[in-house]
Amino acid sequence: MGGKDRSPSRVAWFREVGADRWRAFLAAWVGYVLDGFDFVLVTLVLTEVTSDFGLTGVQAASLVSAAFVTRWLGGMAIGGLGDRHGRRAAMAVSILLFSAGTVACGFAWNYAALFAARLVVGLGMAGEYSASATYVMESWPVRMRGRASGLLISGYSIGTVLAAQVYTWVVPALGWRWMFYLGALPAVVALWIRRVLPEAADWEEAIAETAVRPSPFRPLFATSRRGRVNAALAAVTLGALLLVFTGRAGGAGWALAVVAGACLGAFAVQLGGPSGRVLLPALIVTVFAAFLHTWPIQALLPTYLKTEIHYSASQVRDVLFYAGFGTAAGCLAAGFTGDRFGPTRAYAATLTVSLALVFPVFAVRGDPVLLGILLFFLQATGFGISGLLPRYLGGHFPTERRAAGLGFVYNVGALGGAVAPVLGARLAQGMPLGTALAVLTCSLGLLVVLLIGLDVPGRLHRHFDRSGIRDHLGSRPEEASDPDI
């Protein structure tokens, strides 16, 4: 999978990737399909689970958000495993954790058992993002790493569509538990990955050059005292997030959220090291804003369609079908535009185009087909461009710290996905839900355009670290003098 890339003028790009790289991609893509499948799966079976276990509304909602409690830890820990022992091993561990947690959901006997299983799913889901993204991008030719990123993330959208279809086949005939039993299938993929696939080329080259395995967590345990303090911070973070997402925080919810955020910020500063102490916090803010931009519509669109414009269940299903495939198509397109214009410019330009579509989407009322078409293009430009996020984030980290850095930054920023629905619902108290969603999507989309388009994290980082490296994913040592690159 390593070695010198051939000129694109001699062979079509999909042939140039080669069989080994396509196998690597397929293994990682399946993980992303299952990520999307699981997210929608929980929401689809929530009514059945609530009925069987006699859950309150707060308990039911907490099962959806449970994965956010452990995602930051899974992204950091499994990412660190990938930096130290290889991307392939981290992929296998993340998928096994993901599978075990999903199957355990099917065997859960009460709310507590199901919530605990969802915590395990969060660990695996987070690790799968960092491990798979780094594995694929470090395996593919440099000039195609935007495509690798976009094609990979498209699996999430395919998983959401697949879950809705499988639900109609499985649950009426076999019950909700069988949807979770299907989670055993990815374990086969994990075993195949461990036995068959080669290691990512960039990681092997980095290890060969230094002859030392990276230790991305060394800053957290530089001294025994610092290690104890950071262990305590981790426990406080988990406890605070657990109370917030289970609805047990009461009036202290926002205070606990601030405490958790401060602890995660302390980890980010330490993991960044002396030269990167502002890079990780700046990237977390960017990802957090990106989740705040996309998730109000992701989470509340079905509610808007049913309650505000009174669509039937079949009409809602059809509109969401258009939207899901719009995101998948946008991810595919994002990869090509990212390779052509660079991830930063492609991301900012495409997201800017999407802003012109937001208010027209919420102006359509009685025409589901027109609304579906508009949503397709809104999701393709506004949400599909997130297919470039792994490429954008990964370029900020050297190979020896990439998986842990990308995993931590993305999964801490993903907490914006938990805040977004609450923010949308609060804003809707003073205006129609559709207007609230449009205002949030436009304003936060503009913020993301500025953060990424002006390369705010990179500029801040280069202010403290003048090494001059703008994109660590942009070259390989053996390609530095290749005129075809």
Side-chain angles (χ1 to χ4, degrees):
M1 288 166 63
K4 188 174 178 177
D5 298 325
R6 290 178 290 176
S7 170
S9 64
R10 300 172 193 165
V11 64
W13 74 268
F14 53 86
R15 294 184 183 277
E16 184 183 351
V17 171
D20 284 346
R21 288 163 172 162
W22 276 119
R23 280 195 291 270
F25 169 82
L26 179 61
W29 186 80
V30 168
Y32 276 81
V33 170
L34 295 167
D35 190 350
F37 186 94
D38 176 80
F39 174 77
V40 175
L41 163 61
V42 173
T43 62
L44 287 172
V45 303
L46 210 53
T47 53
E48 288 87 355
V49 172
T50 299
S51 176
D52 279 6
F53 290 160
L55 305 183
T56 65
V58 172
Q59 287 176 321
S62 72
L63 293 176
V64 179
S65 57
F68 286 102
V69 176
T70 52
R71 280 186 66 159
W72 68 273
L73 182 60
M76 183 170 66
I78 298 179
L81 174 69
D83 284 335
R84 187 163 182 81
H85 297 288
R87 314 315 194 198
R88 186 180 60 173
M91 282 178 65
V93 169
S94 63
I95 294 177
L96 285 172
L97 270 175
F98 191 98
S99 300
T102 303
V103 173
C105 288
F107 287 103
W109 57 92
N110 59 18
Y111 164 74
L114 187 53
F115 189 90
R118 291 287 298 156
L119 295 178
V120 177
V121 169
L123 288 171
M125 182 187 299
E128 187 270 330
Y129 186 95
S130 61
S132 296
T134 51
Y135 180 74
V136 170
M137 288 188 295
E138 292 175 359
S139 300
W140 276 39
V142 169
R143 58 180 165 270
M144 299 180 192
R145 288 178 171 176
R147 262 163 281 192
S149 179
L151 289 168
L152 185 63
I153 301 302
S154 70
Y156 180 91
S157 300
I158 299 300
T160 63
V161 175
L162 183 62
Q165 188 61 56
V166 172
Y167 173 85
T168 64
W169 296 336
V170 172
V171 174
L174 301 172
W176 63 267
R177 293 181 183 274
W178 278 93
M179 289 289 286
F180 290 108
Y181 295 155
L182 293 174
L185 297 177
V188 178
V189 177
L191 295 174
W192 175 65
I193 288 171
R194 198 67 183 93
R195 287 176 56 86
V196 176
L197 294 183
E199 187 52 80
D202 280 17
W203 184 83
E204 284 196 322
E205 290 165 10
I207 296 301
E209 285 181 0
T210 61
V212 176
R213 291 187 178 271
S215 181
F217 299 135
R218 184 173 295 148
L220 301 180
F221 302 97
T223 65
S224 59
R225 181 175 180 275
R226 179 177 289 189
R228 290 193 298 271
V229 170
N230 283 319
L233 288 179
V236 169
T237 303
L238 285 171
L241 292 176
L242 193 64
L243 291 172
V244 169
F245 287 125
T246 55
R248 298 180 180 180
W254 285 107
L256 287 172
V258 171
V259 169
C263 293
L264 292 171
F267 286 133
V269 171
Q270 293 178 79
L271 289 171
S275 63
R277 58 182 177 273
V278 299
L279 176 62
L280 269 69
L283 288 173
I284 287 172
V285 169
T286 302
V287 176
F288 190 87
F291 269 86
L292 282 178
H293 157 249
T294 58
W295 275 56
I297 289 181
Q298 296 260 47
L300 298 175
L301 181 61
T303 301
Y304 164 76
L305 295 174
K306 289 185 286 187
T307 63
E308 194 160 307
I309 58 179
H310 309 294
Y311 276 12
S312 67
S314 62
Q315 287 175 318
V316 172
R317 180 198 63 207
D318 292 343
V319 169
L320 295 180
F321 182 85
Y322 281 105
F325 275 103
T327 302
C331 287
L332 299 178
F336 287 89
T337 57
D339 285 336
R340 176 67 178 84
F341 301 104
T344 300
R345 282 184 290 179
Y347 204 119
T350 306
L351 192 54
T352 299
V353 171
S354 77
L355 300 182
L357 297 168
V358 176
F359 281 97
V361 161
F362 291 99
V364 174
R365 296 275 171 166
D367 192 339
V369 174
L370 177 59
L371 178 57
I373 293 171
L374 287 173
L375 268 172
F376 177 91
F377 287 105
L378 174 62
Q379 301 262 117
T381 53
F383 299 176
I385 193 60
S386 62
L388 275 180
L389 204 52
R391 173 66 182 86
Y392 170 76
L393 296 174
H396 288 85
F397 299 101
T399 303
E400 63 272 13
R401 293 192 291 114
R402 182 170 297 134
L406 191 155
F408 181 74
V409 162
Y410 178 83
N411 287 291
V412 173
L415 288 168
V419 175
V422 177
L423 190 60
R426 290 285 179 88
L427 191 59
Q429 292 176 356
M431 63 182 71
L433 179 58
T435 304
L437 294 178
V439 168
L440 278 175
T441 303
C442 268
S443 57
L444 293 167
L446 181 60
L447 175 61
V448 177
V449 168
L450 294 174
L451 287 171
I452 293 181
L454 298 178
D455 191 23
V456 172
R459 289 173 183 269
L460 288 172
H461 177 54
R462 289 190 293 274
H463 179 74
F464 293 94
D465 179 9
R466 302 187 180 277
S467 64
I469 301 177
R470 292 174 175 267
D471 185 3
H472 291 276
L473 274 170
S475 64
R476 284 179 179 164
E478 81 277 10
E479 293 170 341
S481 61
D482 189 344
D484 294 329
I485 298 302

